[in-house]
């Protein structure tokens, strides 16, 4: 490395460093509205899918009650609707926390994404077989790390970025997306990662 990268958004990522690991760069996404363009339609689609499934279950429940000659109670469908609403609201909370508290870290050994102390995922440099920067419609960029992330379509990047840190095994992920970054941050992070992931003589 020919220069030490400036940590523009200090948030004490040092607590995640392994022994002998050096912090090279740290950034964060540009805060985004949970239900903006892409997010809004994904949320509407998710709600419709949940409601469709609930309608099928309710219809089956009512038909079975009629078949057995027992009065149908709406308590079960009501409970399912409440449970479904809680799942949807929890997913919105995940997006909100990610949009405001996510941090992207590049170290001498790996790349790391974390949200508070609750969620964390990382990729070693030997796991980053592909990477690219994808411009977004809002003028920001997503840095896609790993083959699965590079293959993720643009309209699924936010979902991929969140799933990578909330659905993982031992903190590791098959791919990471540094989502909704300023273009200059994405380019800087990519340069640092590229320098460390290439074999050295």
């Amino acid at each position: 490395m020919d220069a030490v990268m400036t940590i523009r958004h200090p948030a004490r990522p040092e607590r995640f460093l392994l022994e002998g690991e050096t912090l090279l760069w740290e950034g964060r996404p540009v805060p985004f509205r949970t239900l903006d363009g892409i997010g809004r339609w994904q949320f509407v689609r998710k709600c419709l899918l949940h409601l469709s499934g609930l309608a099928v279950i309710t219809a089956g429940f009512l038909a079975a009650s009629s078949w057995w000659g027992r009065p149908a109670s709406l308590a079960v469908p009501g409970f399912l609707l409440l449970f479904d609403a809680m799942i949807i609201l929890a997913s919105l909370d995940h997006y909100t926390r990610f949009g405001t508290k996510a941090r992207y870290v590049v170290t001498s050994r790996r790349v790391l994404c974390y949200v508070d102390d609750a969620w964390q995922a990382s990729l070693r440099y030997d796991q980053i077989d592909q990477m690219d920067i994808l411009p977004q419609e809002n003028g920001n960029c997503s840095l896609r790390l790993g083959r699965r992330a590079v293959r993720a379509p643009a309209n699924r990047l936010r979902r991929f970025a969140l799933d990578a840190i909330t659905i993982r095994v031992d903190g590791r992920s098959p791919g990471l997306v540094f989502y909704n970054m300023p273009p200059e941050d994405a380019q800087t992070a990519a340069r640092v990662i590229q320098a460390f992931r290439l074999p050295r003589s």
Side-chain angles (χ1 to χ4, degrees):
M1 295 299 298
D2 57 357
V4 176
M5 296 298 153
T6 302
I7 302 171
R8 298 181 55 189
H9 309 287
R12 300 188 60 196
E14 295 84 0
R15 66 186 182 278
F16 292 109
L17 296 183
L18 305 174
E19 184 176 352
E21 192 172 27
T22 304
L23 178 66
L24 302 174
W25 181 88
E26 192 255 342
R28 61 182 297 177
V30 176
F32 56 85
R33 291 173 48 194
T34 305
L35 296 180
D36 61 6
I38 291 176
R40 181 183 305 115
W41 294 115
Q42 289 178 343
F43 178 72
V44 169
R45 184 176 62 179
K46 182 175 184 177
C47 288
L48 290 175
L49 286 174
H50 279 252
L51 290 175
S52 298
L54 184 61
V56 169
I57 292 173
T58 302
F61 176 75
L62 294 176
S65 296
S66 177
W67 175 266
W68 293 328
R70 296 182 179 175
S73 170
L74 296 181
V76 173
F79 173 78
L80 292 176
L81 179 62
L82 180 62
F83 184 72
D84 221 24
M86 290 175 62
I87 291 175
I88 292 172
L89 290 175
S91 69
L92 282 178
D93 179 62
H94 287 180
Y95 276 126
T96 300
R97 289 180 62 194
F98 180 81
T100 58
K101 297 187 177 181
R103 297 294 183 271
Y104 306 136
V105 177
V106 179
T107 79
S108 55
R109 295 185 184 178
R110 59 188 174 138
V111 295
L112 171 72
C113 181
Y114 69 91
V115 178
D116 295 330
D117 292 323
W119 305 326
Q120 174 189 348
S122 64
L123 283 178
R124 299 186 316 271
Y125 286 118
D126 61 357
Q127 296 174 303
I128 305 175
D129 49 355
Q130 294 181 19
M131 62 181 282
D132 70 0
I133 297 174
L134 183 68
Q136 299 172 190
E137 292 182 359
N138 61 7
N140 296 317
C141 295
S142 285
L143 176 58
R144 301 186 293 186
L145 304 167
R147 185 175 306 169
R148 288 187 62 185
V150 169
R151 292 178 178 175
N155 65 349
R156 296 285 298 162
L157 283 182
R158 184 185 297 185
R159 179 80 253 172
F160 191 102
L162 182 63
D163 285 349
I165 60 172
T166 58
I167 305 173
R168 80 273 188 223
V169 178
D170 297 330
R172 291 171 293 185
S173 171
L176 284 177
V177 174
F178 286 3
Y179 177 77
N180 207 45
M181 300 176 71
E184 61 274 14
D185 281 10
Q187 293 163 8
T188 299
R191 283 198 304 271
V192 179
I193 293 168
Q194 186 73 358
F196 273 80
R197 82 183 183 100
L198 292 176
R200 302 183 206 174
S201 56

